[in-house]
């Protein structure tokens, strides 16, 4: 049964790369759209979902080969999140700070047959409600 249909395109516009993508979920009757403009070490992406009715602006800038910052803002509610990713040979740690709410962490460690992924969501008010998960991604 066909559940989703979509289209995407990528174009060079001057010195920039433009990626456009749209998907329609026929079961949920919702549409996802994203437009991404990138150049060198920086990209800006706008996403919209008809279910959430929220326009998100995500910016990513690579500081160097190992470090990047990823702030995001909801253009509908004004909520801001701050992200930072550190990569090293054999893994990475991605962190996201949601002011006044929580901090999220995703640690990926390469193993011999795939990745180990540890995720944690730490509430700022009551750290006893911290959620931690471990998963294994197998390479075949």
């Amino acid at each position: 049964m066909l559940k989703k249909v979509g289209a995407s395109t990528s174009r060079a516009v001057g010195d920039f790369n433009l990626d456009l993508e749209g998907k329609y979920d026929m079961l949920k009757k919702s549409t996802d759209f994203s437009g991404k403009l990138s150049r060198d070490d920086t990209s800006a992406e706008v996403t919209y979902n008809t279910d959430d009715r929220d326009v998100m602006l995500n910016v990513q800038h690579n500081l160097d080969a190992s470090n990047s910052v990823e702030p995001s803002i909801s253009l509908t509610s004004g909520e801001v999140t701050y992200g930072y990713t550190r990569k090293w040979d054999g893994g990475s740690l991605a962190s996201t700070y949601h002011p006044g709410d929580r901090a999220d962490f995703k640690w990926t460690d390469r193993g011999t047959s795939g990745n180990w992924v540890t995720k944690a969501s730490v509430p700022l008010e009551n750290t006893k409600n911290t959620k931690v998960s471990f998963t294994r991604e197998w390479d075949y």
Side-chain angles (χ1 to χ4, degrees):
M1 182 162 108
L2 185 62
K3 297 178 184 178
K4 292 183 182 180
V5 62
S8 64
T9 186
S10 297
R11 299 275 188 256
V13 180
D15 292 338
F16 294 91
N17 293 323
L18 176 64
D19 301 316
L20 300 172
E21 181 176 358
K23 295 179 188 172
Y24 180 72
D25 188 321
M26 294 190 284
L27 298 176
K28 294 181 181 178
K29 299 187 185 322
S30 66
T31 303
D32 292 320
F33 170 78
S34 68
K36 182 177 181 180
L37 192 62
S38 57
R39 180 178 179 194
D40 300 328
D41 292 332
T42 305
S43 65
E45 180 177 29
V46 175
T47 60
Y48 178 74
N49 178 292
T50 56
D51 276 348
D52 301 336
R53 296 185 181 261
D54 191 11
V55 179
M56 293 291 298
L57 173 61
N58 307 298
V59 177
Q60 179 184 15
H61 178 71
N62 296 328
L63 301 170
D64 56 31
S66 300
N67 300 287
S68 64
V69 291
E70 303 100 15
S72 298
I73 184 169
S74 166
L75 300 179
T76 307
S77 68
E79 292 182 24
V80 177
T81 61
Y82 304 95
Y84 174 78
T85 300
R86 169 78 176 166
K87 298 175 187 174
W88 58 86
D89 188 30
S92 65
L93 176 64
S95 59
T96 307
Y97 173 64
H98 305 265
D101 186 24
R102 70 184 189 283
D104 297 326
F105 302 93
K106 181 181 176 184
W107 175 29
T108 304
D109 190 25
R110 283 190 220 123
T112 55
S113 298
N115 294 334
W116 286 97
V117 179
T118 305
K119 293 182 182 179
S121 183
V122 182
L124 301 178
E125 300 245 344
N126 187 359
T127 57
K128 291 180 182 179
N129 291 331
T130 297
K131 296 177 185 175
V132 178
S133 69
F134 304 94
T135 57
R136 175 75 165 153
E137 298 171 346
W138 296 98
D139 290 336
Y140 297 104

